[in-house]
Amino acid sequence: MKMEMRVYDFRTSQNGYDTFKIKDSKKIFNPDAPDDQRKMKKSSQLKWRIKDLIDVDYFLHQTLNTEDATPSRNQAQPDRSTDRDIYLAYEKQHTPPFERENLIRFWLDEKRGAAKKMPDAPFYLPGDIYTETVRLGRTILGVLALVIGAAMSWSVLSYSGTAPINIFTCVWILVVPQLLLIAFLGSSMAISRFHSRVRFRSGPYAFIMYLVAGLYERALSFGNRRLRKTHRIKTSAAVGTLRRVHHRYGPIFFWPVFVLAQVFGVFYNLGLVGSILLKLAITDLAFGWQSTLHPSPETVHRLVEIISLPWSWAASPHPTLEQIAGSQMILKDGIFHLSTPNLVSWWPFLCFAVCFYGLLPRLILLAAGIVRQNIAAKGVSFSTADGDRLLRRMRTPRVRTAGEKQTPPPDQTRRRDSQPAPDRPSPPRPATADLIPAIMAIPEDIDPVWDENDLADRMARATGLAIIRRIVISMDPADDAKKLAAALSAGNTASGEHRIVILTEAWQPPIRETMDWLKHLITTLPEQTGLIAALVGKPDGRAVFTAPADTDRRVWEQAVAALGSPFVRVENLGGGQ
């Protein structure tokens, strides 16, 4: 790949127009350099953690704020060449083709290194704050659970010396609630797995989600009746941003909460077991059994055998039939007829029950939660709108402009501000290999206006996309969804690597029918399909790629943001690029 950095000479001619001329051209990358100079490295899969995803969003949002800032005429333009420099450094160290995830991870590492070298050190990134917060939360929950578990078992095992501790009471309080909770959790996860398309909106979460959705709809309806139109649009955009974050990261941030719950369960059971062993070591405990139903010792023995199946391999998994019969408490007889060996034969059974039905399942769930958390973080898609914009900044060669002020001759009476302002030079076209395949969708009433070659060139320069197919849409939700789905299937592109560009006249407001049409496409097409509303202004008779008005562009951006999808965005296709 051959790249050049061009310096333009900005001049003012005698007729008052601004012209651009290439003043200098310098090669910034030599493709013929030896391999040892380029230091090529084969791309490898990197491990993503939740803190990495948080930092990626932080730096992307920071860059977005820098781009959105509109400097004044005399204010220096912000330095936006860092992303391009990072890409060139990555290109020298790795062998193409470049994987999107690895390229963004390299960009993140470079951004982190630069941020931590800032003069305001020590600098804590949001990912570091999240990690420390989770670590502190685990410590606090672990200590709290340990204390609660120890206090619970200590109170249940209180022995006055006049009556043995009922083993049924111990099992009912210390073991059965945990079994019921684990069974409820397992059944809910099975239901959620069965309804995978719902994504954590079934099982125990269904009722909560229903309540939250109902409260949201009521609040939104209440606000729409009392807010002005501009405020309603901004509020919907803000809520859409939250939806977009939840849509992309909702399942991921479920697992840290799940892991914290299992940490609490593990230490709670450790507190139970530790307190039981400590109580046995420093006191003389006696266990027996009794029930108003008056079951026979044989019935109790069979029940205990079934419960003890997980640790049946142990030397003394449960009391024998004789020990069970000898530890039966009868209200009118007291405890004088009970022997000590029978009364103390129950404590191994109690410890095993807590370990196998309380501690062991929590350890398994904790390990499963950690594994699922890592899998979820690794499975995050970077084929989002923000990811596309980042890669476009990294892959597009830089252009610098320099100007020399010239004074017009005395007989020049025309004012320069009376002349139309010429467009800025178009940005360099990215390399063909770096373009993302896209399907161009144009409404049927404006389709004949657009030239195929001009449209392809403008798309490549403005959005970094390559048009692989052009279709005409009728704005009918069902019909257009079928056309686009068929075009995606015929494109032979991997999931997440295809975009659909909808040519949009920005001067026509995003009415309800248009937004419902977009919502139908979002729910019908494959999940990671990127939808781009490419805005153009009103044709002025001389050009079709006219710039949309700033007000129209902001209205469209807020309306699209309200959809809450991270794979939908707005791009400016008209005007000087």
Side-chain angles (χ1 to χ4, degrees), residues 240-426:
T241 301
L242 296 178
R243 286 178 175 175
R244 186 165 59 250
V245 173
H246 178 267
H247 182 272
R248 187 181 181 192
Y249 296 124
I252 297 175
F253 286 98
F254 164 82
W255 292 110
V257 178
F258 180 84
V259 169
L260 286 177
Q262 305 319 309
V263 169
F264 184 91
V266 167
F267 280 92
Y268 173 78
N269 284 278
L270 288 176
L272 292 180
V273 176
S275 179
I276 292 173
L277 295 178
L278 179 63
K279 195 84 170 179
L280 290 170
I282 63 177
T283 60
D284 186 14
L285 296 181
F287 297 92
W289 63 275
Q290 63 179 350
S291 174
T292 307
L293 301 178
H294 299 292
S296 64
E298 290 78 9
T299 302
V300 175
H301 183 259
R302 286 195 296 270
L303 177 63
V304 169
E305 281 185 330
I306 295 174
I307 297 175
S308 304
L309 284 177
W311 61 90
S312 58
W313 46 266
S316 299
H318 55 79
T320 63
L321 178 59
E322 293 75 13
Q323 291 172 333
I324 292 176
S327 59
Q328 181 180 7
M329 296 182 293
I330 301 175
L331 185 61
K332 63 181 182 65
D333 294 339
I335 64 172
F336 297 102
H337 67 287
L338 304 176
S339 62
T340 300
N342 296 332
L343 295 176
V344 300
S345 62
W346 283 99
W347 73 263
F349 169 80
L350 179 60
C351 290
F352 279 126
V354 173
C355 290
F356 279 85
Y357 291 116
L359 180 60
L360 183 60
R362 293 295 180 177
L363 289 174
I364 295 175
L365 290 175
L366 177 61
I370 294 175
V371 172
R372 290 292 300 170
Q373 175 178 300
N374 295 334
I375 294 176
K378 184 180 178 181
V380 171
S381 172
F382 292 97
S383 299
T384 59
D386 294 336
D388 284 355
R389 291 192 179 105
L390 172 61
L391 292 184
R392 189 176 67 200
R393 291 194 303 269
M394 298 177 73
R395 291 170 172 172
T396 303
R398 291 173 293 183
V399 175
R400 291 192 311 178
T401 60
E404 294 180 3
K405 184 177 180 181
Q406 291 186 354
T407 303
D411 59 347
Q412 185 71 29
T413 58
R414 286 188 303 178
R415 294 172 55 89
R416 287 190 55 214
D417 54 6
S418 64
Q419 300 295 329
D423 290 340
R424 295 192 177 198
S426 298

Side-chain angles (χ1 to χ4, degrees), residues 15 74 99 122 133 158 195 250 256 297 347 364 373 417 428 459:
N15 59 6
N74 298 325
E99 296 183 6
T133 302
S158 297
H195 299 283
W347 73 263
I364 295 175
Q373 175 178 300
D417 54 6
M459 285 292 300

